[in-house]
């Protein structure tokens, strides 16, 4: 029996942000950075591969380590990490992985005969005279490569433009030769950074990082993280070198743009769009463990309108499922909304993070095939809202929650569809030093609903799972 597809779409002990999805054959392959749970910086682990059948985005398969940071000759001691990559299939049928080390301003390439095999170091992207792209006078910082194979070569986009950093013009593109690493053109700026955006139509959503490129119905779609950082935006053009026009926001990992109140704690964002089995999706990431360094990939279906525009989508718990989730038991950590409605209890526990966050008991799983789900939502205090979109609530008669912690008179108020609406009931939460189930019968009407749980009462506790029960 097929298990429902949820966000995050990979196992909850896996941390692969900056997702670049590509369909090769009958599978979609996911390339991204590799964070470490409870890590002290971005991208501390080596690149790993995951793939799924194009017909089932709930069935992800671990493909193993694709490339180790020590394979780059500049990094034999492993002191630098591998930042966000992209992969393209070259005219020779081989697969080229583009990446940047955190201590360089160059784009390097590794190559493999298969989409998810063992990649081998190939060299730097360089001009015909051997000068690496990024090292020539007038070049800008190379970062977050995005690649589109086209014709007998490829287009390579990159750039890094923090709003406060002078001398950066925006995202830039060069043409690559058939060898997939020789630069054939001078860099051209295609989307402006915050310092050069005035009068361009990109004001307020100028380029920051996370270059990605797709071709849709003959037009070029440049996907990027804007100066706001939490959102992925897009721009379109009739040619790979532009001119690009601002299109809008695809997704925000806090739902800003759809609501004035953050629905999840914001952080950077990186991803792209891909057509999978006839349907378009946006891939993005969220932040966990109350840091910037433990990010997890999520995805949502999107609509490309006849005029080419793409409306912003809301973040959900059910993006990979193609529809609402059926009743049953789920990890609490698939929550798409998690936020405060009142100031945090700063002195809840000595040394305890006062903000609610998704975390886990187990250490980082060096081998994802040996991991287990020990995830939970920590630091639920009065006023915290935990939200799930969406459930098919046909026949649901009760809700149970698995919790632990010190709490007195605590309960989770249950609301449907509107987090500020009237509660349909509540689930009492008893104090417990071990994970324990708490249950209440509730009058939940049939239909598809968003489910919001708002903490009330005194104490600090954690939530590991929820269960929507039916009479059957």
């Amino acid at each position: 029996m097929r298990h429902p597809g949820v966000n995050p779409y990979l196992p909850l002990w896996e941390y692969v942000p900056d997702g670049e999805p590509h369909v090769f054959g009958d599978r979609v392959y996911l390339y991204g950075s590799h964070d470490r749970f409870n890590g002290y910086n971005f991208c501390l682990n080596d690149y790993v591969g995951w793939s799924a059948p194009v017909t089932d985005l709930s069935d992800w398969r671990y493909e193993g380590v694709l490339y180790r940071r020590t394979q780059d000759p500049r990094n034999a001691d492993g002191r630098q990490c591998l930042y966000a990559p992209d992969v393209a299939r070259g005219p020779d049928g081989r697969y080229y992985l583009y990446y940047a080390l955190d201590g360089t301003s160059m784009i390097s390439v590794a190559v493999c005969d298969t989409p998810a095999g063992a990649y081998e170091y190939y060299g730097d992207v360089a001009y015909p005279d051997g000068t690496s792209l990024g090292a020539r006078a007038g070049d800008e910082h190379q970062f977050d490569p995005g690649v589109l194979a086209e014709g007998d070569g490829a287009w390579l986009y990159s750039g890094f433009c923090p709003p406060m950093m002078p001398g950066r013009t925006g995202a830039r593109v060069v043409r690559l030769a058939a060898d997939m690493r020789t630069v054939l053109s001078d860099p051209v700026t295609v989307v402006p950074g915050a310092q050069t955006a005035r009068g361009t139509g990109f004001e307020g959503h100028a380029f920051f990082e996370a270059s990605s490129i797709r071709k849709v119905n003959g037009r070029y779609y440049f996907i990027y993280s804007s100066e706001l950082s939490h959102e992925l935006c897009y721009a379109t053009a009739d040619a790979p070198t532009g001119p690009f026009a601002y299109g809008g926001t695809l997704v925000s990992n806090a739902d800003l743009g759809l609501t004035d109140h953050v629905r999840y704690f914001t952080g950077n964002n990186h991803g792209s769009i891909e057509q999978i089995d006839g349907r378009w999706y946006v891939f993005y990431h969220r932040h966990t463990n109350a840091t910037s360094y433990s990010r997890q990939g999520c995805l949502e279906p999107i609509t490309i309108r006849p005029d080419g525009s793409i409306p912003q989508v809301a973040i959900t718990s059910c993006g990979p499922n193609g529809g609402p989730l059926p009743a049953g038991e789920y990890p609490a950590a698939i929550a798409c909304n998690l936020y405060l409605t009142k100031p945090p209890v700063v002195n809840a526990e000595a040394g305890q993070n006062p903000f609610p966050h998704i975390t886990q008991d187990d250490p980082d799983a060096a081998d994802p095939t040996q991991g287990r789900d020990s995830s939970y939502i920590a630091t639920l205090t009065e006023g915290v809202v935990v939200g799930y979109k969406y459930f098919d609530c046909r026949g649901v008669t009760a809700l149970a929650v698995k919790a632990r912690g010190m709490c007195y008179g605590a309960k989770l108020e249950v609301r449907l569809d509107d987090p500020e609406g009237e509660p349909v009931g509540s689930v009492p939460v008893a104090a417990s030093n071990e994970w324990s189930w708490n249950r209440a019968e509730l009058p939940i009407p049939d239909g598809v609903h968003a489910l919001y749980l708002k903490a009330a009462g005194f104490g600090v506790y954690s939530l590991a799972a929820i269960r929507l029960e039916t009479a059957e």
Side-chain angles (χ1 to χ4, degrees):
M1 180 179 177
R2 175 186 180 272
H3 57 86
V6 298
N7 278 324
Y9 50 85
L10 297 183
L12 283 163
W13 57 88
E14 182 64 299
Y15 297 83
V16 179
D18 305 330
E20 279 282 2
H22 291 286
V23 172
F24 297 124
D26 61 359
R27 299 187 70 81
V28 56
Y29 292 85
L30 190 281
Y31 305 95
S33 306
H34 196 190
D35 282 354
R36 182 177 301 168
F37 172 70
N38 209 27
Y40 52 85
N41 205 346
F42 299 108
C43 313
L44 292 176
N45 290 336
D46 294 327
Y47 291 147
V48 294
W50 289 85
S51 74
V54 295
T55 55
D56 189 353
L57 296 182
S58 73
D59 187 18
W60 290 87
R61 180 178 75 196
Y62 179 60
E63 301 284 358
V65 176
L66 302 185
Y67 191 69
R68 302 183 187 280
R69 61 189 180 276
T70 53
Q71 289 180 243
D72 189 299
R74 294 190 193 88
N75 197 39
D77 60 4
R79 295 177 65 182
Q80 299 181 68
C81 65
L82 294 165
Y83 277 162
D86 196 9
V87 168
R89 188 172 185 265
D92 60 357
R94 297 197 294 171
Y95 298 84
Y96 293 83
L97 183 151
Y98 295 79
Y99 66 92
L101 294 167
D102 69 329
T104 72
S105 179
M106 290 164 279
I107 302 296
S108 298
V109 193
V111 65
C112 186
D113 292 333
T114 61
Y119 282 77
E120 298 293 336
Y121 179 76
Y122 180 47
D124 287 345
V125 173
Y127 295 99
D129 66 1
T131 303
S132 295
L133 177 67
R136 192 175 72 172
D139 283 353
E140 295 189 14
H141 188 79
Q142 300 300 302
F143 186 73
D144 284 357
V147 190
L148 177 68
E150 188 172 56
D152 59 354
W155 299 98
L156 171 65
Y157 299 75
S158 67
F160 183 57
C161 292
M164 75 296 293
M165 189 172 289
R168 307 286 175 88
T169 62
R172 310 184 95 190
V173 62
V174 295
R175 177 67 175 168
L176 299 183
D179 66 1
M180 300 294 281
R181 70 176 183 183
T182 299
V183 177
L184 297 181
S185 65
D186 289 331
V188 174
T189 299
V190 291
V191 172
Q195 297 182 45
T196 58
R198 181 176 297 178
T200 67
F202 286 86
E203 298 91 340
H205 303 276
F207 173 79
F208 170 34
E209 60 182 357
S211 296
S212 184
I213 186 72
R214 294 293 188 270
K215 193 172 184 180
V216 182
N217 298 327
R219 288 180 60 78
Y220 297 86
Y221 281 67
F222 181 74
I223 296 93
Y224 66 98
S225 176
S226 82
E227 60 190 295
L228 301 178
S229 188
H230 61 80
E231 65 177 5
L232 294 182
C233 296
Y234 74 99
T236 60
D238 292 324
T241 54
F244 280 85
Y246 177 70
T249 299
L250 292 166
V251 68
S252 159
N253 57 25
D255 265 352
L256 291 172
L258 298 177
T259 174
D260 292 333
H261 189 295
V262 295
R263 298 302 186 191
Y264 194 90
F265 292 95
T266 65
N268 68 13
N269 209 344
H270 190 150
S272 194
I273 63 174
E274 184 75 356
Q275 188 177 33
I276 303 170
D277 198 33
R279 191 173 189 180
W280 283 94
Y281 296 85
V282 61
F283 286 63
Y284 63 101
H285 64 236
R286 72 175 189 180
H287 293 253
T288 70
N289 203 40
T291 77
S292 297
Y293 308 134
S294 298
R295 300 164 296 171
Q296 295 179 314
C298 299
L299 66 89
E300 309 292 347
I302 58 172
T303 299
I304 301 182
R305 294 168 171 156
D307 65 359
S309 63
I310 307 174
Q312 182 177 343
V313 293
I315 55 179
T316 75
S317 305
C318 64
N321 201 49
L325 301 171
E329 182 178 328
Y330 295 90
I334 70 166
C336 57
N337 295 158
L338 181 62
Y339 59 94
L340 295 161
T341 59
K342 59 186 296 185
V345 181
V346 177
N347 62 345
E349 291 287 344
Q352 184 174 5
N353 188 305
F355 294 96
H357 56 282
I358 294 168
T359 186
Q360 65 187 49
D361 279 336
D362 287 357
D364 189 69
D367 179 356
T369 64
Q370 302 301 310
R372 73 176 185 106
D373 182 20
S374 63
S375 66
Y376 61 97
I377 301 175
T379 321
L380 268 68
T381 57
E382 187 172 23
V384 170
V385 173
V386 183
Y388 301 88
K389 296 180 179 178
Y390 293 93
F391 286 110
D392 182 344
C393 294
R394 284 177 295 178
V396 172
T397 58
L399 178 66
V401 299
K402 191 177 185 180
R404 72 181 181 195
M406 299 306 295
C407 47
Y408 307 94
K411 62 182 179 180
L412 287 168
E413 297 174 346
V414 181
R415 291 172 171 81
L416 302 177
D417 304 321
D418 182 357
E420 298 175 1
E422 288 297 316
V424 298
S426 63
V427 181
V429 180
S432 175
N433 291 320
E434 302 292 340
W435 292 117
S436 301
W437 283 100
N438 305 262
R439 180 183 180 278
E441 294 186 0
L442 294 171
I444 295 180
D446 287 353
V448 174
H449 298 291
L451 176 68
Y452 297 98
L453 309 177
K454 185 176 183 179
F458 178 78
V460 183
Y461 57 99
S462 300
L463 189 66
I466 64 171
R467 186 174 65 230
L468 283 77
E469 300 179 357
T470 62
E472 299 177 0

